[in-house]
Amino acid sequence: MKELSLNILDIVQNSVKAGATRIEICLEETDERFSFWVRDNGCGMSEELLSRVKDPFATTRTTRNVGLGIPLLTLAAEQTGGGVSIESSTGEDHGTLIRADFNKRHIDFTPLGDIVSTVTTVIQGNPDTDVIFSHSAGEGRVELSTPELREVLDGVSLSEPEVLAWIEENLRGQYDQMRMF
Amino acid sequence: MKTLAELAAIRDKMKAQVALREGNGNTRIVVGMATCGIAAGARPVLNAFVDEVAKNGLSETVTVTQTGCIGICQYEPVVEVYTGSDEKVTYVKMTAEKVEKVIKEHIMGGKVVSEYTIGASV
């Protein structure tokens, strides 16, 4: 993947496929580290699937027998000296938490890229899912919560192009302010 | 920065329009957004379709949706267009730059952009 934000979009698609109604995407960075986690309340993975999920020959897709999403993320993290961890449960509190840590100073660190586009793409495809996004870097913080927006929208869909344009501009405005710190 | 008051204004405008759209939405543009599509550049393609649909005032009759892997990863980004009773048209190796032509000629003009279709690529 050319940008980490594309890996994040790809990982979130797993949450969508798991039937999640709530997806949290949290990014945290310091001068040296970049980390993100994605937590969903989807169906979760069995211990058996969880044990082989970093293997490219593990997949839930039916078009063929390979899945590259988690292996590609693992590669991107490990090549900087970081790593990926996954917890999942199929029990009453079902869901999955995936966390990836990166060494930002490493020459093989993939830049984050257009994360705003990733967030709007997730919301466009899943307007009825609760998406809670946050990104903190030093003193700066960007956040967006679709349950809060839905209260304002009063039945108007989050996938309306004008609503998506508002979300995109709101996030880009927050990032502009964050860069001032 | 965009404020919640501006979002509320969009809501009010949308609510006024909602009554017009019942029963419409007969064209569907479906973008493959699995690992293969995303790695090949599907995200800017999807966003370009959303922008073009809005820009040309087509959102009452055209919906843009996402799907998983369509099974022809070597041709990603893949976009399927379903219009009315017509057959499905599959566009392959799409880019954000090609989107405007698909919208103008196919979605608005009714003429398939054959050079972007899978038939022209195999």
Side-chain angles (χ1 to χ4, degrees), chain A residues 111-126:
Chain A
L112 178 60
D114 190 358
I115 187 68
V116 170
S117 198
T118 281
V119 175
T120 56
T121 302
V122 169
I123 296 171
Q124 194 272 341
N126 310 281

Side-chain angles (χ1 to χ4, degrees), chain B residues 17-29:
Chain B
Q17 288 173 1
V18 161
L20 299 171
R21 345 182 136 190
E22 303 293 330
N24 283 327
N26 42 17
T27 295
R28 272 195 310 138
I29 298 169

Side-chain angles (χ1 to χ4, degrees), chain B residues 49-75:
Chain B
F49 271 112
V50 171
D51 289 348
E52 283 291 324
V53 164
K55 209 167 85 186
N56 291 287
L58 300 171
S59 36
E60 282 168 34
T61 52
V62 180
T63 53
V64 182
T65 59
Q66 303 176 21
T67 189
C69 176
I70 295 165
I72 43 170
C73 311
Q74 66 272 39
Y75 295 112

Side-chain angles (χ1 to χ4, degrees), chain A residues 34-73:
Chain A
F34 176 86
S35 308
F36 78 85
W37 49 260
V38 175
R39 177 163 47 204
D40 69 53
N41 65 353
C43 61
M45 286 180 278
S46 64
E47 273 180 44
E48 188 271 328
L49 179 57
L50 191 56
S51 68
R52 60 189 178 90
V53 79
K54 286 186 186 173
D55 172 354
F57 295 101
T59 184
T60 57
R61 71 156 86 201
T62 51
T63 45
R64 82 180 70 74
N65 297 322
V66 293
L68 290 174
I70 292 170
L72 285 173
L73 176 64

